[in-house]
Amino acid sequence: MSARGELRGWADVALIPVLNLVVALLVSGIVVLIIGESPMEAMWIMLKGAVGSIKGWSYLLYYSTNFIFTGLAVAVAFHAGLFNIGGEGQAYIAGLGATMTGLGLEFLPWPIVIPLAVLMSALFGAFWGWVPGYLQAKRGSHIVITTIMFNFIASSLMVYFINYWLRPVGKMAVESRAVGNFDFSTFDLTGAYIPSLRELSLAIFGYRLPSSPLNPTFLFALAVAWAVWYLLWRTKLGYEIRAVGANTDAAVYAGIRPQKIIMVTMAISGGLAGLLAVNEVLGAQHRLVLEYVQGAGFVGIAVALMGRSHPVGIVLAAMLFGLLYQGGTELSFAKPEINRDMIVVIQGLVILFMGALEQTFRPWLEALFFRAED
Amino acid sequence: MIKKLLGAAALTALMAVSAFAADDKPAIVFDIGGKFDKSFNESMFNGSEKFKTETGVAYGEFEIANEAQREQAIRNFADQGYSPIIAAGFAQAAALEKVAKEYPDLKFAIVDMVVDLPNVQSIVFKEHEGSYLVGIMAAMASKSGKVGFVGGMDIPLIRKFGCGYVQGVKAAKADATVFQNMTGDTGAAWNDPVKGGEITKSQMSQGADVIYAAAGATGLGVLQAAADGGALSIGVDANQNYLHPGKVLTSMLKRVDVAVYNVMKSGKDGSFKGGVQALGLAEDGVGYAMDDNNKPLVTPEMQAAVEKAKADIISGAVKVHDYTEDNKCPVE
Amino acid sequence: MTPSTTPAIELIGIDKRFGPVHANKDVTLTIRQGSIHGIIGENGAGKSTLMSILFGFYQADKGEIRVKGQPLKIRSSSDAIAHGIGMVHQHFMLVDTFTVLENVVLGAEGGALIGPALAKARETLTHLSQDYEMDVDPDAIVGELPVGLQQRVEILKALFKGAETLILDEPTGVLTPDEADHLFRILGQLRDQGKTVILITHKLREIMAITDHVTVMRRGELVATFETKKTNVEELAEAMVGRRVLLHVDKSPAKPGVVVLDVKNVTWKDKKGIARVDNVSFNVRAGEIVGIAGVSGNGQSELLDVIAGITRPASGEIIFEGKSIGQLADPRHLREEGLAHVPEDRQHRGLISSFDASESGILGWHYDESLGHGFRLDRDKVVARCTKEMAEFDVRPGNPLLKSSKFSGGNQQKIILAREIARDPDLLIVGQPTRGVEANERELGLRMAGVMREAA
């Protein structure tokens, strides 16, 4: 039904998400109430913890950086009509690229190693996205199935690599050696170590910011978001990606080869997910830790849904999830009764209402609007 | 209703201010396994609870949900002036080291790992010594001359358990066979009782009739499978004899609860010291469990042999090799 | 049977807006019981909207619906069905993998267990099928039936649910002439049994053949209602378009030149290995218009796809301007060589309905250097190009930023035609040039073809 009434732009992009968020928070509030805590207080702690201090903001932005990358990865694939739920595995494998570059080329100066490590993160992730893309294009294996499978394969492979290749002998924790080092008193930067903003501010201005893993990768993520927008709406490749996603028959008619676009798109998508390694491995942990992605790949799906697969929306949605993560941490500090599992429930509710039930209020809102317009 | 809620919010704001005055209150940061893992983390939780009931002093606690939170949690407690701050588990070493450097006035402790700073107490255990003792008991209790070992995650720490155990078995019965299996390579290996049970059944089918589990919650599956299949098992960390009375030969005690309790206590009475604490048989940090549940299983000869070995280790007459010293085990 | 005096359906002052679009303007219409009532009009004239309001898909902003004299609020299709209104959609709403019987019962299962409902339905269905010469096997799998029979299943479904008034939306679009004739016989019988039929169509011939009354709509308004016997095709066409219409094109005699396209023994097989295009040969010379005729589904579409390079022939050769393109061709290549293609299924192939007009306007040429250097796609150039083409071809509304799906079928056609002709192709392939296109737009299309020929 193409003639169906459609909401005005602002209501569509702003009002519906806000409404969904409010409902999600209300339901979360009921859950908090059930376990005997005050929802208003919990909400206040979350908000204050996430946006009430420089420290809160730093963590918020640090988490958002991960979600921007994985959200963009999912969104680019969406535009080609592909549901890439393998961001988790692509980011994980990318960690290997980042780490191997950092450790293998440690002797080179950082202006060379860091860009190389970033590139390798993207390439490793791209490869892990390209393979399911290839299987879909040439063998017709459904991308949802293959990308899930590739998450498991990545997980097993990485256990092997980290345990038997990267873990220093005798070290208990399953993680690699540090990829570099930074001494802020002498500004001595080695390897693929991206210093945190706190370290940079200490080194350059001598000013002590609150400690957080926030690092310049956040700015890089914003640049990448812009680049994705440019790719999709201002390049011929982006046009072809969107054409295949919107209408494969029309794309074929236009001489676009969907198989090629599927592979290219999945590689781009995987590469974007891979950039998560830049933030986590190079910028925050400075080492490759077992299972370091910690679900950020899946959060990316919710972020892309909520952000309407548009980079601006994705940045905003990623920040909302950053807020939930950081606010949730502060909440479990302040209220041990609301433990980390409760936080996951609250985050899950937000995903449910913003993603899966995203359209719930649309008909109702449409009816309201059209009545009002008469 | 809303008034009430707003009132509550205002009250919390006040409480939040008072919460900063946390001097000399201890805090503990549990690792990803969570504080109710029936094993390592839970044992430390019990130690903390004991401290709380005895002294009436509340302690801060936090369960890690992701990597970034390790440092965030420790730092958060440090910011609020908690001391000592205990990091549960080797995985937190890097984060603890970073924060401890920045807060030289606060006291920190870490379990199962060494962080070499003056304000950090590193608590490590000589698990190989305790494992040696239960190895002797296993060899003597075994009728088939075949015993098993089920480890959790394949890391040097667990190999250290296994290596001590094998040395004990061989010391008691040189021709005994020991089957050794690890549950996995990831953190999930600590919490997979189903797989633990499968491994146990497989070892039993090869003839093992005493099986030692050093695998966190996975060990619960090992104990269950052994009890169901008529074999004896050996518990770990806490006294697990009660889980299947008459079917658990003994438990290798690793007193993390005592260690945590002691750290908290020493913080309170001012006797806290930095440096490494290696807790072995001599310090009662490790041992074997005897109670009514396993009394019928342990013969006087077994008890005598174990007690003799314990005395020899304490005196230095017997030296049990520590796997983590060279990543090698002299016997298989 | 004599028509009863109470009308089956009365629509009074129906008004409906979709944002800026005024889809129905104060439409008042009476449909007599036991009659076949045609509704004709161009795309976007508001016929479908009106029927969707009657069937409960939309709510009218103003106005009243009366069924058998009773004023009613119809809030959903189930309300409509409850009041004896059934609808057969242009695109069938059938579950391909179910049997006829299961499809008919769908939505009227009545209880958790399907068994009793099916047994009862089988009996009713057999009766209905006999009464109306439907000739449908209740146990056939719907997906395996020909289109004509699937349509009958839709009609049976509506009758099974107790429809007294049946709305059919463009029912003959998918049928062969034989099937269409059979459908008309069925509709005639329905009328004779006292049912009321509303037929939405473009095809004047069908209106003349079977309706009792005909209503003409234009731009959301009801223009006039005629008694079919007392009107004629010319009058109806004029009412639809609002002016006199040229139904045949005055064309100058062709002056054929060199051979542009030479199709030699081309065979194309579908996935099941059946030759859908079997050993076809013909050629096209510069300056001539060659028609490929046949009942839909006889391989014309497949042949066009092969010529346009979208599919590859199993055997045979295609020579375009002296170059053999049979096996290697792809659409992009051919386009560059001067072959333009207006596909048969314009909405689903010729443009991308979720893209704005300017983006649909470059489909197939999007990689061209004139739209941006290298990998770039210069948005300003894309929009400028579309604005220009829209002006040349009188596309309405002339807004390049409007979504492609918001244009009427004829205007979509113009967007595609503009794009394909703009490159001055040597050969233009057009599939079903008049499908879904209203009389006045059809006229324009035919003229364009003529112009092309003169120019070639």
Side-chain angles (χ1 to χ4, degrees):
Chain A
M1 292 282 134
S2 60
R4 222 194 126 108
E6 279 176 31
L7 287 179
R8 297 192 168 175
W10 67 268
D12 196 44
V13 299
L15 192 58
I16 287 194
V18 167
L19 198 66
N20 286 326
L21 183 63
V22 168
V23 175
L25 292 179
L26 281 178
V27 178
S28 309
I30 293 170
V31 175
V32 171
L33 205 60
I34 288 170
I35 61 164
E37 292 288 328
S38 150
M40 293 299 279
E41 187 193 337
M43 204 87 76
W44 176 245
I45 292 170
M46 280 185 89
L47 263 181
K48 205 176 109 214
V51 298
S53 65
I54 296 177
K55 187 185 95 179
W57 271 104
S58 309
Y59 271 96
L60 184 159
L61 294 178
Y62 151 73
Y63 286 120
S64 313
T65 309
N66 287 343
F67 304 147
I68 291 174
F69 286 131
T70 53
L72 289 172
V74 175
V76 166
F78 268 158
H79 278 288
L82 300 166
F83 196 23
N84 176 16
I85 47 182
E88 193 79 10
Q90 289 143 17
Y92 201 3
I93 290 286
L96 189 65
T99 312
M100 290 193 346
T101 315
L103 296 179
L105 304 175
E106 219 170 0
F107 52 89
L108 290 172
W110 66 265
I112 299 173
V113 191
I114 291 178
L116 271 179
V118 172
L119 184 71
M120 290 302 279
S121 302
L123 284 179
F124 270 59
F127 173 72
W128 213 246
W130 174 82
V131 178
Y134 173 86
L135 293 173
Q136 163 95 67
K138 303 283 178 180
R139 294 275 172 271
S141 323
H142 201 284
I143 206 99
V144 169
I145 309 293
T146 43
T147 47
I148 285 194
M149 291 318 214
F150 267 64
N151 286 340
F152 286 104
I153 299 175
S155 175
S156 304
L157 271 180
M158 291 299 282
V159 165
Y160 174 79
F161 283 127
I162 301 177
N163 262 313
Y164 299 102
W165 285 23
L166 296 170
R167 181 166 70 178
V169 174
K171 185 158 185 173
M172 219 69 90
V174 186
E175 57 188 37
S176 76
R177 183 156 68 76
V179 292
N181 199 9
F182 181 63
D183 185 339
F184 46 77
S185 51
T186 56
F187 208 93
D188 189 11
L189 185 55
T190 57
Y193 186 107
I194 299 180
S196 68
L197 281 192
R198 170 189 162 90
E199 289 167 321
L200 284 175
S201 128
L202 263 176
I204 300 168
F205 309 112
Y207 179 72
R208 188 179 282 266
L209 283 170
S211 167
S212 84
L214 180 65
N215 62 80
T217 311
F218 175 70
L219 299 175
F220 177 58
L222 293 182
V224 170
W226 177 84
V228 166
W229 171 82
Y230 190 87
L231 167 78
L232 286 172
W233 283 281
R234 292 293 181 271
T235 69
K236 291 163 184 174
L237 177 61
Y239 181 90
E240 297 195 342
I241 289 173
R242 288 184 298 121
V244 169
N247 185 337
T248 312
D249 286 340
V252 170
Y253 155 79
I256 299 165
R257 289 207 302 276
Q259 285 90 343
K260 185 189 127 191
I261 295 298
I262 286 172
M263 289 190 280
V264 170
T265 307
M266 281 306 290
I268 294 173
S269 177
L272 288 167
L275 290 176
L276 184 142
V278 176
N279 189 45
E280 276 295 321
V281 176
L282 305 182
Q285 317 298 344
H286 306 300
R287 55 173 60 76
L288 184 57
V289 181
L290 194 73
E291 283 160 10
Y292 84 91
V293 185
Q294 307 268 9
F298 295 115
V299 175
I301 299 171
V303 168
L305 278 173
M306 201 185 296
R308 299 290 167 106
S309 295
H310 191 285
V312 173
I314 286 168
V315 169
L316 292 176
M319 286 175 65
L320 175 69
F321 273 89
L323 186 152
L324 287 175
Y325 265 61
Q326 168 55 15
T329 306
E330 292 295 331
L331 184 56
S332 39
F333 268 123
K335 302 250 123 198
E337 296 79 9
I338 304 177
N339 60 21
R340 56 181 184 169
D341 303 315
M342 282 302 308
I343 307 294
V344 174
V345 169
I346 293 174
Q347 287 164 353
L349 282 169
V350 174
I351 295 179
L352 182 71
F353 280 96
M354 304 288 291
L357 302 181
E358 195 246 306
Q359 303 292 340
T360 315
F361 302 106
R362 182 177 293 271
W364 177 74
L365 210 60
E366 270 167 9
L368 197 75
F369 267 78
F370 288 123
R371 206 170 305 151
E373 272 172 22
D374 275 343
Chain B
M1 180 66 186
I2 288 177
K3 236 181 200 170
K4 226 180 195 175
L5 293 177
L6 285 174
L11 195 68
T12 342
L14 287 174
M15 278 163 58
V17 174
S18 62
F20 276 93
D23 290 320
D24 294 316
K25 263 167 62 179
I28 181 160
V29 178
F30 297 106
D31 211 56
I32 287 179
K35 67 182 174 187
F36 295 122
D37 65 350
K38 297 233 184 310
S39 180
F40 185 72
N41 283 301
E42 189 162 342
S43 192
M44 282 185 281
F45 172 66
N46 292 337
S48 318
E49 285 293 302
K50 185 178 168 218
F51 170 79
K52 189 164 105 182
T53 34
E54 273 184 20
T55 61
V57 179
Y59 62 96
E61 59 166 304
F62 190 78
E63 290 174 280
I64 302 288
N66 67 49
E67 266 327 299
Q69 285 183 350
R70 291 189 202 284
E71 191 183 328
Q72 193 180 3
I74 298 172
R75 190 178 296 279
N76 224 336
F77 285 129
D79 280 344
Q80 296 182 31
Y82 281 91
S83 178
I85 298 166
I86 303 166
F90 54 79
Q92 304 198 36
L96 183 91
E97 183 167 5
K98 218 165 158 187
V99 181
K101 268 187 200 160
E102 291 174 35
Y103 292 88
D105 299 337
L106 296 179
K107 302 175 181 75
F108 297 87
I110 184 159
V111 179
D112 268 359
M113 191 76 183
V114 175
V115 170
D116 194 10
L117 286 171
N119 57 334
V120 179
Q121 186 178 110
S122 308
I123 303 156
V124 291
F125 293 87
K126 296 178 180 167
E127 295 93 347
H128 49 294
E129 293 183 356
S131 298
Y132 184 87
L133 297 190
V134 299
I136 289 174
M137 285 174 83
M140 293 176 75
S142 170
K143 295 184 179 72
S144 64
K146 289 172 184 169
V147 298
F149 172 78
V150 179
M153 185 176 173
D154 190 0
I155 51 171
L157 177 66
I158 293 302
R159 299 227 163 211
K160 184 175 167 186
F161 279 81
C163 185
Y165 177 66
V166 179
Q167 291 175 65
V169 172
K170 300 279 179 179
K173 207 181 269 179
D175 60 346
T177 311
V178 186
F179 304 113
Q180 291 192 66
N181 291 99
M182 296 292 176
T183 307
D185 288 328
T186 65
W190 301 123
N191 204 1
D192 194 346
V194 175
K195 194 167 176 196
E198 290 303 318
I199 295 173
T200 308
K201 283 178 197 155
S202 146
Q203 292 187 347
M204 278 158 37
S205 71
Q206 294 174 70
D209 57 359
V210 184
I211 293 156
Y212 175 28
T218 303
L220 300 177
V222 176
L223 268 50
Q224 181 72 52
D228 292 347
L232 292 172
S233 55
I234 300 173
V236 80
D237 290 353
N239 182 354
Q240 296 180 323
N241 295 358
Y242 73 95
L243 289 173
H244 302 280
K247 290 177 176 163
V248 179
L249 178 60
T250 181
S251 296
M252 200 293 273
L253 302 173
K254 175 173 169 181
R255 306 303 302 265
V256 281
D257 52 340
V258 176
V260 166
Y261 172 82
N262 286 341
V263 170
M264 288 187 172
K265 197 85 193 278
S266 69
K268 189 173 166 9
D269 62 24
S271 62
F272 180 93
K273 281 199 302 284
V276 179
Q277 290 231 36
L279 306 178
L281 288 173
E283 297 82 11
D284 254 343
V286 295
Y288 66 100
M290 284 303 299
D291 58 18
D292 288 345
N293 292 317
N294 68 338
K295 212 169 226 167
L297 300 171
V298 182
T299 60
E301 297 82 54
M302 281 160 74
Q303 185 131 18
V306 173
E307 282 301 328
K308 181 175 182 302
K310 183 175 173 182
D312 286 347
I313 292 169
I314 293 172
S315 71
V318 169
K319 173 128 180 45
V320 185
H321 179 76
D322 177 359
Y323 176 87
T324 53
E325 278 172 8
D326 57 359
N327 278 335
K328 281 191 191 95
C329 194
V331 288
E332 281 298 325
Chain C
M1 193 184 269
T2 39
S4 112
T5 41
T6 334
I9 306 281
E10 287 166 281
L11 301 169
I12 302 158
I14 298 292
D15 210 90
K16 178 75 186 169
R17 279 171 188 275
F18 295 111
V21 181
H22 205 161
N24 282 156
K25 292 180 206 164
D26 192 23
V27 176
T28 298
L29 174 63
T30 302
I31 294 172
R32 279 201 220 163
Q33 211 162 321
S35 72
I36 299 182
H37 195 119
I39 299 180
I40 56 168
E42 302 182 87
N43 275 352
K47 323 176 285 259
S48 293
T49 307
L50 190 65
M51 288 304 116
S52 297
I53 289 170
L54 178 56
F55 197 57
F57 281 153
Y58 304 134
Q59 308 297 304
D61 299 336
K62 269 182 238 160
E64 189 180 285
I65 300 172
R66 289 188 194 168
V67 176
K68 291 185 184 155
Q70 294 294 314
L72 292 174
K73 283 266 177 226
I74 298 179
R75 289 194 188 80
S76 67
S77 53
S78 42
D79 276 3
I81 292 166
H83 292 108
I85 301 170
M87 185 155 183
V88 175
H89 298 269
Q90 197 171 358
H91 303 286
F92 304 145
M93 311 273 177
L94 295 170
V95 183
D96 279 353
T97 51
F98 279 14
T99 63
V100 170
L101 193 62
E102 286 168 329
N103 265 292
V104 167
V105 177
L106 199 67
E109 298 90 346
L113 291 175
I114 193 84
L118 281 181
K120 194 167 150 270
R122 181 181 298 275
E123 199 181 312
T124 319
L125 190 64
T126 318
H127 275 295
L128 286 172
S129 198
Q130 278 163 4
D131 287 355
Y132 301 108
E133 285 179 48
M134 294 279 200
D135 200 20
V136 178
D137 172 11
D139 297 315
I141 300 292
V142 162
E144 293 166 2
L145 294 176
V147 190
L149 279 175
Q150 291 191 11
Q151 191 173 52
R152 277 178 233 167
V153 177
E154 279 278 18
I155 296 173
L156 280 173
K157 209 166 100 180
L159 293 175
F160 179 77
K161 288 174 186 164
E164 289 296 315
T165 301
L166 201 59
I167 308 167
L168 292 105
D169 189 2
E170 299 284 356
T172 58
V174 289
L175 303 181
T176 62
D178 267 358
E179 286 172 333
D181 287 343
H182 192 146
L183 173 70
F184 293 157
R185 279 206 303 280
I186 292 171
L187 295 183
Q189 269 166 342
L190 285 169
R191 170 184 51 193
D192 296 345
Q193 310 253 347
K195 309 267 183 204
T196 309
V197 176
I198 304 174
L199 183 70
I200 304 174
T201 182
H202 294 93
K203 296 183 185 166
L204 294 170
R205 186 182 75 89
E206 292 169 4
I207 292 288
M208 297 311 293
I210 64 159
T211 62
D212 301 310
H213 298 89
V214 52
T215 293
V216 181
M217 290 189 73
R218 190 172 72 225
R219 293 194 198 119
E221 284 174 286
L222 192 147
V223 179
T225 299
F226 302 95
E227 202 171 326
T228 311
K229 276 180 270 176
K230 295 179 183 163
T231 184
N232 57 47
V233 173
E234 283 74 20
E235 190 182 15
L236 289 177
E238 262 185 64
M240 275 166 75
V241 185
R243 62 185 164 80
R244 227 181 72 75
V245 182
L246 204 63
L247 279 178
H248 49 91
V249 180
D250 299 317
K251 55 177 199 264
S252 52
K255 296 181 251 6
V258 295
V259 172
V260 177
L261 180 74
D262 195 1
V263 176
K264 289 180 184 166
N265 310 101
V266 165
T267 298
W268 181 83
K269 290 179 177 159
D270 65 13
K271 277 181 190 157
K272 291 174 188 158
I274 299 162
R276 304 291 296 272
V277 175
D278 197 358
N279 198 17
V280 172
S281 303
F282 68 95
N283 61 46
V284 181
R285 291 167 180 277
E288 70 178 355
I289 298 176
V290 173
I292 300 171
V295 173
S296 245
N298 281 294
Q300 308 96 306
S301 321
E302 290 79 2
L303 178 62
L304 291 192
D305 278 359
V306 172
I307 297 173
I310 291 169
T311 52
R312 311 251 161 101
S315 65
E317 199 179 13
I318 298 166
I319 295 169
F320 179 61
E321 299 192 320
K323 288 178 206 156
S324 173
I325 54 167
Q327 302 294 336
L328 298 166
D330 71 76
R332 182 159 161 176
H333 228 102
L334 284 168
R335 220 173 249 122
E336 282 166 359
E337 293 287 333
L339 183 145
H341 177 200
V342 177
E344 194 176 309
D345 188 346
R346 282 171 276 280
Q347 295 199 2
H348 295 112
R349 248 201 194 171
L351 40 74
I352 295 177
S353 44
S354 61
F355 280 16
D356 68 30
S358 72
E359 289 191 307
S360 276
I362 58 168
L363 189 67
W365 286 108
H366 56 274
Y367 58 87
D368 198 77
E369 275 294 299
S370 69
L371 296 170
H373 293 295
F375 61 86
R376 290 192 57 217
L377 189 62
D378 190 325
R379 181 97 185 123
D380 296 339
K381 287 180 180 162
V382 172
V383 173
R385 170 186 207 90
C386 186
T387 311
K388 186 168 144 268
E389 285 177 358
M390 282 179 142
E392 274 172 28
F393 282 75
D394 190 29
V395 175
R396 288 181 207 176
N399 177 4
L401 300 181
L402 197 65
K403 251 200 205 172
S404 306
S405 60
K406 303 265 172 178
F407 291 86
S408 70
N411 282 305
Q412 290 178 346
Q413 163 93 317
K414 284 189 216 164
I415 293 173
I416 298 167
L417 215 66
R419 176 184 78 208
E420 295 301 311
I421 293 175
R423 298 289 163 149
D424 191 18
D426 299 329
L427 176 69
L428 177 64
I429 319 171
V430 186
Q432 298 269 26
T434 58
R435 176 194 268 185
V437 175
E438 306 305 334
N440 67 344
E441 288 158 348
R442 176 182 307 191
E443 188 187 321
L444 172 96
L446 293 175
R447 276 213 201 114
M448 292 305 310
V451 171
M452 286 287 295
R453 191 186 61 190
E454 300 301 325

